[in-house]
Amino acid sequence: MIDQVNASRQLNRSTAIGALSRIVSLDGVWLTLAAVLLYWWRLGMLPLRDWDEGTIAAVARSMAVSGDWIYPTLYGDAYLNKPPLVEWLMATGYLGGVSEWTSRLLPALVSALAIPLLYWVGREVFQQRRPALLSAGVFLTLLPVVRHGRLAMRDGVAVTLFLLLLLWGLKARKRPAYALGVGVCLGLIALTKGILVILLGVIALVFFAIQFFAIQTVGLGRQSASHWLLRNPYLWLGLGLGSLPVLLWYGAQLLRYGNVYWQGHFVSQSFERVTSAIEDHQQPPWYYLLEMLKYGFPWLMFWPGGVCLAWRQRNRPWGQLVLVGTAIYLGAISLMGTKLPWYIMPLYPFVALAIGAYLHHAWEKSPRWAVGLLALISVVALGGGVYLGVADQQPTLIAIGIGLGMSAGWTGLQLWRRRARWCLTLMAGLYLTLLLLVGSDFWLWELNEAYAVKPVAAMVKQHVPPEAEVVTTFSYGRPSLNFYCDRNIPTLSGQPLLERWQDNLYVLAEVHHLDTLPPYHEIGRTDDMVLVQPMIQ
């Protein structure tokens, strides 16, 4: 009889474990599908953006055309900026033709995988399903994460690789072979963002060290040695495997270009960005906090509570990860000399984990202090969406405003009535609103900062011979224009342009600059730019 009871209990336990495994697997599947839909929806409908998109796409196209994937070039010159992993992804996409869709396809796919990876990291550090799921849902619906993840850029790919590194490091505590992936991921990050691997590697090392010493204090004695990642032979094997392609690629560049590569890549594009502001990208230390305030709402209102909760639960793995990652990464990028909006991307997984933990903590408590802020967001979104939609005759803006306003308003009402699962309403509403946004022409609003490049590029390709020189009087060079023209178009204006006016060149001039130019022949015109050729005296 006792044996039958024990067998029945064992069967029930196995059934429960199997059901939990199926739920966890299904969570990963639907999170992946939701992320891929959001990241791929109408992905190729808008032109490539200045700056990184146009530059990276041009380098990738030169790889695909020339077949040389080892020595990147940009319009015939050596490209010394960053390692080529993202360019390799894009060049692979170009096997299906060169377009906006194929440019963004594979980087966006890799970036989308960060969503389920954050969930699985959450499962390891929370040891619970709900806070991990809430964290992944927050990460899925953060506007800056979605926008930059959809672009043909490096940052979303680097975040995915970092989360994969953390996941394998956490799993290596029970299965040492997973540490192999930690070293491989470090190598892939180095091939994606160069010296960023140092900062992300430090975060991972400090976090895993805290985990090790926390286990030691519990009194596991010699058993704790197996939890120390640096004593895991698989880690060193993975570091060897991950470092090999990095060393080979960097070695090839140094052998070909020598000191030019050292100065151009390591000094100008890496170390100087840390110590000084290059290309006038100088901002105050609180710049990234302002970036979060601009684009992180409504989730950001729960972030301070999540950080405070992490401090109170700093003896738990999730709290340690949030505090270590936030302090080291936010502190480092805030002190850097060069500040760019996308540098903040690796911070958002820690932000999402903190907010997910707070939402889990407030699942039943329904914090009423957020009702007023949600009501304000609802009014602003509804009013702003309707006003802009009517003023600009853009129905999509009305739909986006209504979607965001109703989501925030309904969530506030649920909070007021102390209904559980209120955050799921906000999550679902934000997801639908983001689908509307990325399906419109408004998600890449930087395109409105200057003239439309595709009509100008079509004019140049139609009227200018491939071997001819083209310059522009525009205030700065546009990598996206260069990409669509398949040539480098430098800026030239004022006295330097006048000194070369008798040369056989073509000039892309802004309409309001025409009166300042010497005699010319007009060749073509768009709404914003005019293509002219000097009259030869």
Side-chain angles (χ1 to χ4, degrees):
M1 185 67 179
I2 295 176
D3 292 340
Q4 291 179 348
V5 171
N6 291 334
S8 176
R9 288 177 177 174
Q10 184 66 31
L11 178 62
N12 292 336
R13 188 180 298 110
S14 300
T15 303
I17 293 173
L20 181 60
S21 299
R22 287 192 295 273
I23 289 173
V24 171
S25 299
L26 287 176
D27 287 341
V29 169
W30 73 257
L31 281 170
T32 302
L33 292 176
V36 171
L37 174 61
L38 186 58
Y39 281 54
W40 273 4
W41 179 243
R42 293 175 61 85
L43 187 61
M45 299 305 294
L46 293 181
L48 298 183
R49 188 186 79 167
D50 299 324
W51 294 82
D52 282 21
E53 270 202 311
T55 301
I56 296 173
V59 174
R61 182 175 57 192
S62 71
M63 287 181 177
V65 171
S66 67
D68 186 354
W69 292 38
I70 303 300
Y71 301 103
T73 59
L74 183 62
Y75 306 114
D77 296 326
Y79 180 68
L80 309 178
N81 192 335
K82 289 290 189 295
L85 182 62
V86 172
E87 283 86 346
W88 289 343
L89 288 174
M90 292 172 64
T92 303
Y94 287 160
L95 297 177
V98 179
S99 66
E100 292 87 354
W101 165 252
T102 53
S103 296
R104 294 168 177 151
L105 175 66
L106 292 180
L109 176 61
V110 176
S111 299
L113 296 179
I115 309 303
L117 282 172
L118 184 72
Y119 167 72
W120 287 319
V121 169
R123 290 286 310 194
E124 294 292 326
V125 296
F126 287 115
Q127 293 296 307
Q128 296 182 71
R129 175 174 175 252
R130 189 167 69 189
L133 203 54
L134 292 173
S135 299
V138 170
F139 197 52
L140 175 65
T141 52
L142 275 169
L143 174 61
V145 174
V146 174
R147 277 200 348 117
H148 283 99
R150 285 168 56 90
L151 296 174
M153 293 177 64
R154 311 174 197 280
D155 304 271
V157 175
V159 170
T160 296
L161 293 172
F162 179 57
L163 288 173
L164 187 59
L165 180 156
L166 291 176
L167 178 63
W168 276 338
L170 288 165
K171 285 186 171 294
R173 296 175 299 179
K174 295 181 180 178
R175 297 184 179 180
Y178 276 107
L180 188 72
V182 174
V184 172
C185 283
L186 285 170
L188 292 175
I189 294 172
L191 282 175
T192 304
K193 289 281 288 185
I195 65 169
L196 178 66
V197 70
I198 299 174
L199 180 56
L200 298 184
V202 168
I203 292 173
L205 178 63
V206 172
F207 170 64
F208 291 129
I210 291 174
Q211 292 285 287
F212 167 67
F213 289 115
I215 291 172
Q216 271 196 325
T217 58
V218 177
L220 293 180
R222 294 180 180 178
Q223 295 181 8
S224 63
S226 64
H227 291 81
W228 181 221
L229 200 60
L230 293 181
R231 296 180 182 176
N232 190 326
Y234 288 102
L235 171 67
W236 297 102
L237 177 60
L239 284 172
L241 293 174
S243 300
L244 182 61
V246 178
L247 294 174
L248 289 175
W249 187 81
Y250 274 111
Q253 310 311 304
L254 290 169
L255 284 174
R256 169 169 286 199
Y257 303 116
N259 189 58
V260 172
Y261 187 79
W262 174 261
Q263 293 294 326
H265 178 83
F266 289 103
V267 178
S268 297
Q269 295 295 334
S270 298
F271 300 128
E272 283 188 1
R273 289 176 180 251
V274 176
T275 58
S276 60
I278 66 170
E279 299 174 0
D280 297 325
H281 295 300
Q282 185 174 5
Q283 299 291 343
W286 52 86
Y287 169 74
Y288 291 109
L289 291 176
L290 296 179
E291 284 292 300
M292 293 174 65
L293 284 172
K294 285 194 294 185
Y295 303 117
F297 273 92
W299 288 129
L300 195 65
M301 69 175 73
F302 305 111
W303 180 52
V307 173
C308 291
L309 185 62
W311 176 254
R312 292 200 299 270
Q313 299 187 9
R314 57 189 179 274
N315 60 323
R316 299 185 181 182
W318 80 266
Q320 294 160 357
L321 180 58
V322 166
L323 294 175
V324 167
T326 302
I328 294 178
Y329 192 82
L330 182 58
I333 62 174
S334 297
L335 294 175
M336 280 181 59
T338 301
K339 293 181 174 63
L340 292 166
W342 45 89
Y343 285 2
I344 198 176
M345 282 287 288
L347 177 66
Y348 281 115
F350 308 119
V351 173
L353 287 170
I355 295 172
Y358 181 85
L359 297 178
H360 170 68
H361 181 72
W363 185 261
E364 301 288 348
K365 296 181 180 180
S366 301
R368 285 196 171 186
W369 60 264
V371 173
L373 286 174
L374 288 168
L376 178 62
I377 293 172
S378 178
V379 170
V380 171
L382 288 170
V386 171
Y387 173 77
L388 292 174
V390 172
D392 296 338
Q393 296 183 349
Q394 296 286 352
T396 306
L397 285 176
I398 298 177
I400 293 171
I402 290 175
L404 178 58
M406 290 185 65
S407 302
W410 184 247
T411 303
L413 183 61
Q414 286 184 310
L415 278 174
W416 181 256
R417 294 178 175 177
R418 297 191 181 279
R419 300 287 176 82
R421 303 185 180 183
W422 53 272
C423 53
L424 298 183
T425 300
L426 183 59
M427 205 169 287
L430 289 176
Y431 182 80
L432 294 176
T433 303
L434 286 173
L435 271 180
L436 286 172
L437 177 64
V438 299
S440 71
D441 294 338
F442 304 110
W443 71 274
L444 204 51
W445 52 75
E446 292 89 348
L447 296 178
N448 298 320
E449 295 176 353
Y451 61 87
V453 295
K454 295 189 77 172
V456 177
M459 178 175 64
V460 171
K461 297 189 79 170
Q462 179 182 353
H463 297 291
V464 180
E467 68 280 0
E469 182 181 2
V470 186
V471 298
T472 180
T473 64
F474 197 67
S475 57
Y476 56 87
R478 299 198 60 187
S480 59
L481 176 66
N482 297 342
F483 173 77
Y484 288 112
C485 292
D486 198 10
R487 66 172 79 215
N488 184 37
I489 301 180
T491 60
L492 192 66
S493 60
Q495 188 61 33
L497 176 61
L498 297 179
E499 291 174 358
R500 295 201 55 198
W501 195 251
Q502 298 301 316
D503 295 347
N504 186 24
L505 51 75
Y506 291 80
V507 180
L508 269 175
E510 297 161 279
V511 174
H512 62 271
H513 278 173
L514 292 177
D515 294 339
T516 65
L517 299 179
Y520 60 83
H521 293 292
E522 182 175 323
I523 299 173
R525 176 185 291 254
T526 67
D527 292 339
D528 304 291
M529 303 294 288
V530 182
L531 179 64
V532 303
Q533 193 170 23
M535 284 186 179
I536 306 298
Q537 299 295 328

